[in-house]
Amino acid sequence: MAANADEVYKELNAEDVDELRPMEIESLCVNCEENGTTRLLCTSIPYYKAVILMSFECPHCGCKNNEIQSGEAVQEHGTEIVLRVREQADLRRQLVKSEYASIEVPELELTIPSRSQPGEVTIVEGVLDRVRSGLNQDQEKRRLTDPENAQKIDEFVKRIDDCVALKTTWTLKLHDPSGNCFIQNPDPRHVDPRCIVSHYSRPADEIKMLGLADDQDQLDQPETAEWKSYEDAKQEVVHFHTNCPNCNAPTEVNMKPTDIPFFQTVIIMAQVCDKCGYKTTEVKSGGGIRPNGCKLILKLEKPEDLTRDVLKSDTCSLSIPELDLDVGYGALGGRFTTVEGLLIATKEQIDMQSSFFMGDSAVSEDKEKVKSFLDQLDKALALELPVTIVLDDPAGNSYVQSLSAPLDDPRLQKEFYERNWEQNEELGLNDMKVENYGELDAVTEEKEEDE
C-alpha cells in the first residue's frame, strides 16, 4: 500500500529529531569516481510546500553538493516573476526555484536554461554568485590554453561584479513552467514596487517537458470547443478533455457562460479529477476591456456585507486603507467569491509568504508587524474593526454585489475614471492599432482571394 503523503513529508520540528533523520544512499562521486554518501530528507515546510532536500559528500576528495526538489504536484499554471534589482535589500531577497525554471538577466545577456541547474533555495545575489563561480572554476588553466576566451570571461565576470555592487541596475526574470517558484516580498502587506508576478497557461512543449503528456500527444486547446453560438452556449455546459495537472489522469474541464445581474456575462470554468480529487475553479470576464476603469469602495459595517458576492478579475487590485494593505492585481488571480472569502484568501496568502520567510533569523520587529497586521485582519472579519475595501480595476471587469440594486447602495460606491498611460500599457492597449481596422481587414481578404 502506498504511504500517505503526510507520513512521507514530515514537518520541520526540533523536538522530533528522530523522525527527521535523513535517508543515506551510497552513490558515485562525479569528481573522483569514488563512492560517497547522498542524504535525502523529505520534509514539509510549514505554510509552504513539501520539499526533498538532498546533500552529497565525498570523503575521498571532499566534493560536496546540495540540492532541493519540490515534492509538490505541478501547479495549475506556470509562473513568471520579473524583479528589478535596485537596492541592497533586493539582493538579499530569498528565492525558490525548481529544476524546471529558467533564469534571464537581459542586461548581462545571460540566460540559464531550464533543467540546467538543480532546484534550490537561495537569495537573488546567490544566482549571480553561482554563475561567477562556474565561470572562474577553470579560469587559471584557461588563461594558459585559451587566453582570448579567458579575457572575455574576465570581462563578463567584471560585469557580474558591477551588478552585485549595484553599479548598474539590472533585471532578474524567473520563468517556471511548474509554478513552484517564488521571490520574497519584503513587505507582504503591500504591492511589491519592483517585482511583478504573472501566471500563464503552459504551451504544449512545456506540458510535455513536465511529463504531463507524451511527445506524440496532440493537445487540444480550450479554444477548439465548437459552440453553436454564444447565446446557445449560455444554455449548456461545454466539456473539453484535458489532463489533471496533479496526477496527469484524463479528466474534463467544464465551462459555462452566465450572466451576473446588473453587471455582465462571465465565463465559469471548473475541473474535478475523479482519480485524485483535485479541484480547481476560475472565472473570466465574458466581455472585452471597458472604456473606463472602475473603482469599487465598500464599507464593512454589517454581517450581510461579508456575504456580498465579489467578482475580482485578473487586472483588479485590492487595498484596505485602515490596515495599510495594498495587494496587486496579480496576487490573488481572478475569482468569484464573497467579501469574506476574499479577505480570508488575502490573509492566507500573506500568512503563507510571511511564515516561510520569517524564520528564526528574521528580525523580531518584522515578525511583530506581520502578527499585528493579521490580528487586525481577524478583527475586520469579525466586524470589530470598521474597514473599507477598495477594488481598483483598470479594465472595469470587477463587481461587488449591491444589496439594493438597481437603487444606490449606501455602503457601496462606484467611481469610473479614465485610465492613464501606465495602466493602458499594462493592459496592452498602447500598442493596439485600431485606426482603419475594417479597411485593412478588407484589403487582407482581397489579397487572400487573389492568391
Side-chain angles (χ1 to χ4, degrees), residues 7-190:
E7 298 176 358
V8 176
Y9 298 97
K10 299 288 185 180
E11 288 193 3
L12 293 173
N13 190 340
E15 298 179 357
D16 299 331
V17 178
D18 293 336
E19 295 186 6
L20 289 174
R21 291 190 180 278
M23 179 190 306
E24 295 187 357
I25 302 174
E26 187 177 358
S27 53
L28 181 69
C29 175
V30 296
N31 187 44
C32 66
E33 298 185 357
E34 296 288 342
N35 284 339
T37 302
T38 297
R39 294 177 175 84
L40 299 175
L41 178 61
C42 299
T43 183
S44 176
I45 300 177
Y47 305 103
Y48 186 57
K49 296 177 180 179
V51 296
I52 304 173
L53 304 175
M54 292 174 283
S55 174
F56 173 80
E57 184 174 0
C58 177
H60 303 282
C61 66
C63 179
K64 295 182 180 180
N65 183 34
N66 298 313
E67 185 177 343
I68 181 174
Q69 287 189 2
S70 174
E72 292 285 336
V74 174
Q75 302 302 307
E76 182 181 359
H77 297 97
T79 301
E80 186 170 86
I81 305 178
V82 180
L83 172 66
R84 299 180 181 89
V85 182
R86 299 291 184 269
E87 301 176 359
Q88 284 290 336
D90 296 328
L91 295 173
R92 296 189 294 269
R93 292 181 187 229
Q94 297 193 40
L95 180 147
V96 180
K97 64 177 285 290
S98 74
E99 63 270 26
Y100 298 103
S102 62
I103 297 177
E104 181 182 356
V105 181
E107 291 80 2
L108 295 176
E109 300 180 15
L110 170 65
T111 300
I112 303 175
S114 60
R115 309 188 73 173
S116 62
Q117 290 183 350
E120 62 180 342
V121 177
T122 180
I123 59 176
V124 172
E125 183 179 358
V127 173
L128 294 185
D129 286 342
R130 186 168 187 165
V131 174
R132 178 172 49 195
S133 299
L135 293 174
N136 286 329
Q137 187 173 4
D138 297 323
Q139 191 65 346
E140 294 299 329
K141 180 180 178 180
R142 195 178 293 113
R143 288 191 179 96
L144 299 175
T145 59
D146 191 357
E148 182 178 353
N149 286 328
Q151 182 180 358
K152 293 180 180 179
I153 292 177
D154 286 336
E155 294 174 355
F156 188 79
V157 170
K158 176 62 169 57
R159 293 173 61 190
I160 293 179
D161 293 337
D162 290 342
C163 290
V164 173
L166 293 181
K167 294 181 179 179
T168 177
T169 56
W170 52 286
T171 305
L172 177 69
K173 294 183 179 180
L174 185 61
H175 183 92
D176 194 341
S178 72
N180 292 320
C181 66
F182 191 79
I183 293 181
Q184 177 189 9
N185 180 1
D187 187 357
R189 299 181 304 167
H190 296 87

Side-chain angles (χ1 to χ4, degrees), residues 392-446:
D392 189 355
D393 190 351
N397 289 325
S398 294
Y399 160 84
V400 175
Q401 179 187 10
S402 173
L403 300 180
S404 58
L407 302 178
D408 292 338
D409 192 323
R411 296 189 298 277
L412 177 62
Q413 181 181 355
K414 298 181 181 180
E415 296 180 359
F416 296 94
Y417 61 88
E418 186 175 349
R419 288 182 292 267
N420 56 33
W421 189 92
E422 288 78 10
Q423 291 172 328
N424 284 328
E425 182 71 14
E426 290 181 357
L427 296 174
L429 299 178
N430 291 333
D431 297 328
M432 295 181 66
K433 305 298 182 183
V434 296
E435 294 83 2
N436 302 323
Y437 181 80
E439 297 178 5
L440 293 175
D441 194 31
V443 172
T444 303
E445 291 180 358
E446 291 179 0

Side-chain angles (χ1 to χ4, degrees), residues 186-187 189 358-373:
D187 187 357
R189 299 181 304 167
M358 289 290 179
D360 296 336
S361 61
V363 181
S364 58
E365 183 181 353
D366 294 338
K367 290 183 179 180
E368 290 299 324
K369 287 182 179 179
V370 174
K371 184 179 182 302
S372 174
F373 170 77

